[in-house]
Amino acid sequence: VQLQASGGGLVQAGGSLRLSCAASGRTFSGCAVGWFRQAPGKEREFVAGISSGGTVTLYTDSVKGRVTISRDNAERTVFLQMNSLKPDDTAVYYCAADSTVSGFVPRSEKYYDYWGQGTLVTVSS
C-alpha cells in the first residue's frame, strides 16, 4: 500500500481544512487507517483512526467534536475533516495504514506498517 497525504495549508484559527489520504494497492480496503501529527519539537501523536469497514472511529481527546475521519473505499481515500482549528493543531499530518485484518483501530504507531509523506497544517492565531 502506498499512501499520499494532501490538503494541508495555512488557515486562521477557527477555520477548517480537509485532509485526504489517497492509497494505491488492492489491500487498502482491508486496512485500518490512522492520522497522526507531529508538531515542531514534539513527538508524533495519534489524531484519529478508522477501521477497514469504516464502522469504528477513534479520536484523541484534544480533537473530539472538531475532527471527523471518514473513508471511501471505492475511491481508496480517507478524509480528515478538521473544523474550529486552533494554533495547537499546527503540525505535519501523516496518514498510515495497518494491514492487519482485525477490525481494530490502533492508537499506537507501531501497528501501522505503511506511511504517507505528511502534509503541513499551519494554524495562525
Side-chain angles (χ1 to χ4, degrees):
V1 178
Q2 292 184 322
L3 304 174
Q4 179 78 30
S6 63
L10 173 64
V11 63
Q12 289 187 333
S16 298
L17 281 175
R18 188 174 83 154
L19 306 184
S20 297
C21 177
S24 62
R26 292 177 294 176
T27 61
F28 175 73
S29 61
C31 296
V33 174
W35 282 97
F36 293 78
R37 66 186 179 186
Q38 187 167 22
K42 296 186 177 181
E43 293 186 353
R44 189 158 57 187
E45 65 172 352
F46 175 83
V47 177
I50 189 166
S51 62
S52 57
T55 57
V56 178
T57 57
L58 199 62
Y59 300 92
T60 194
D61 286 347
S62 63
V63 305
K64 283 181 180 177
R66 301 188 296 119
V67 168
T68 302
I69 189 170
S70 61
R71 68 189 295 161
D72 183 338
N73 281 342
E75 296 296 325
R76 297 179 181 174
T77 305
V78 172
F79 303 99
L80 191 71
Q81 177 67 43
M82 303 191 295
N83 301 322
S84 303
L85 283 162
K86 305 175 181 179
D88 284 349
D89 295 316
T90 295
V92 176
Y93 284 70
Y94 300 89
C95 60
D98 169 17
S99 62
T100 303
V101 180
S102 67
F104 176 60
V105 181
R107 285 184 181 269
S108 173
E109 62 178 74
K110 70 180 181 180
Y111 292 102
Y112 292 88
D113 40 3
Y114 299 99
W115 289 81
Q117 85 291 359
T119 185
L120 177 63
V121 172
T122 304
V123 184
S124 63
S125 57

